[in-house]
Amino acid sequence: MPAFFVDYNLMPFHLSLFAVILLGVVETLGYLFKIRPTKFLKQISPFYFRNLDLLNVKFSKILIVFFLLMNFSVAGYVLQLLIYSQEQEFLPVYYLIIPALIIAIFFTVFMIHCLDQVIPPKYKKHHVNLIGRLATISSGNARPGFSAQARVRDEFGQLHYVQVEPEFGELEFQSQIILIRLRKSHYVAKKISKSNRLFSLDLEHS
């Protein structure tokens, strides 16, 4: 069993685990002494952290690195132990680097997604004013007292799904509408007639 700790074919996974422990210790000390190691890392490797910002998650990007290293280490150990149980020896490490990395990325993305769903946003989103925007009924028909779902883009091109209801008449599936006012949990909408098709096209491209 001591060979487990010194075997060359396990070294990348040992180093990854050591990096996880070191990162945890550094982050804990940084929190206690109010020093942020991530600022230093961002200064020496700005391109890396700038790419991580594209993930747009609600928690520290250093946690993503922590998850990736941890999952890479665990995946490597599991693969090597499974092979050892069958062959009584470890597989050369260069065969397992890519599979372990793929497994690590998969589980890291899964963990990021789960955390991002439960962690409250750091900054509250500003209320988006959709009144006057062109929308399309995307689910069901809407009648007074019965709302339907519609899709609409805001001024920044972000897609929203909202509940809409007409003042009178019916809004059929896939019909184009204008949101005219907000009423508590849904928007009041008006259907665009075919004679106003040019008008609706102008709104859609605005």
Side-chain angles (χ1 to χ4, degrees):
M1 197 63 184
F4 177 84
F5 298 100
V6 296
D7 194 292
Y8 170 79
N9 295 311
L10 293 172
M11 279 302 164
F13 313 120
H14 290 335
L15 293 174
S16 182
L17 180 60
F18 176 75
V20 168
I21 297 172
L22 181 63
L23 188 61
V25 171
V26 170
E27 282 294 304
T28 302
L29 292 176
Y31 177 79
L32 293 175
F33 294 101
K34 301 186 183 304
I35 301 173
R36 296 187 61 187
T38 51
K39 284 187 175 181
F40 173 73
L41 291 176
K42 191 171 183 178
Q43 289 176 354
I44 64 174
S45 184
F47 179 76
Y48 177 71
F49 276 83
R50 187 164 59 247
N51 283 342
L52 284 180
D53 287 338
L54 295 176
L55 293 171
N56 194 27
V57 292
K58 304 169 188 173
F59 47 87
S60 172
K61 307 303 183 295
I62 201 70
L63 194 59
I64 299 172
V65 179
F66 181 89
F67 285 152
L68 184 60
L69 291 172
M70 180 182 67
N71 289 327
F72 176 73
S73 178
V74 172
Y77 287 142
V78 170
L79 291 174
Q80 284 288 35
L81 289 176
L82 286 175
I83 293 168
Y84 188 85
S85 66
Q86 298 295 324
E87 306 293 335
Q88 300 304 310
E89 63 179 1
F90 295 119
L91 193 70
V93 69
Y94 47 80
Y95 288 118
L96 293 181
I97 291 291
I98 299 300
L101 186 59
I102 292 173
I103 295 172
I105 292 173
F106 174 81
F107 279 100
T108 300
V109 171
F110 175 75
M111 295 167 74
I112 289 170
H113 175 74
C114 291
L115 275 179
D116 202 45
Q117 298 302 309
V118 299
I119 294 177
K122 188 175 181 181
Y123 303 104
K124 293 183 178 180
K125 293 183 178 179
H126 296 291
H127 176 70
V128 179
N129 183 14
L130 300 174
I131 295 175
R133 307 296 299 180
L134 174 70
T136 303
I137 301 294
S138 60
S139 177
N141 297 338
R143 303 187 303 276
F146 297 92
S147 63
Q149 188 182 73
R151 60 178 182 269
V152 56
R153 292 189 182 275
D154 60 25
E155 58 183 314
F156 303 107
Q158 181 69 40
L159 184 64
H160 301 267
Y161 287 90
V162 297
Q163 294 298 118
V164 298
E165 183 181 310
E167 282 187 309
F168 54 86
E170 186 174 2
L171 303 175
E172 299 86 3
F173 176 67
Q174 289 295 329
S175 60
Q176 290 188 321
I177 58 175
I178 289 288
L179 307 181
I180 57 177
R181 65 173 176 272
L182 181 63
R183 182 185 292 171
K184 293 184 178 179
S185 61
H186 63 273
Y187 284 88
V188 177
K190 181 179 179 181
K191 185 177 180 180
I192 300 175
S193 64
K194 292 182 180 180
S195 61
N196 289 333
R197 182 175 296 178
L198 181 60
F199 173 68
S200 66
L201 290 173
D202 289 340
L203 283 175
E204 188 174 8
H205 290 89
S206 62

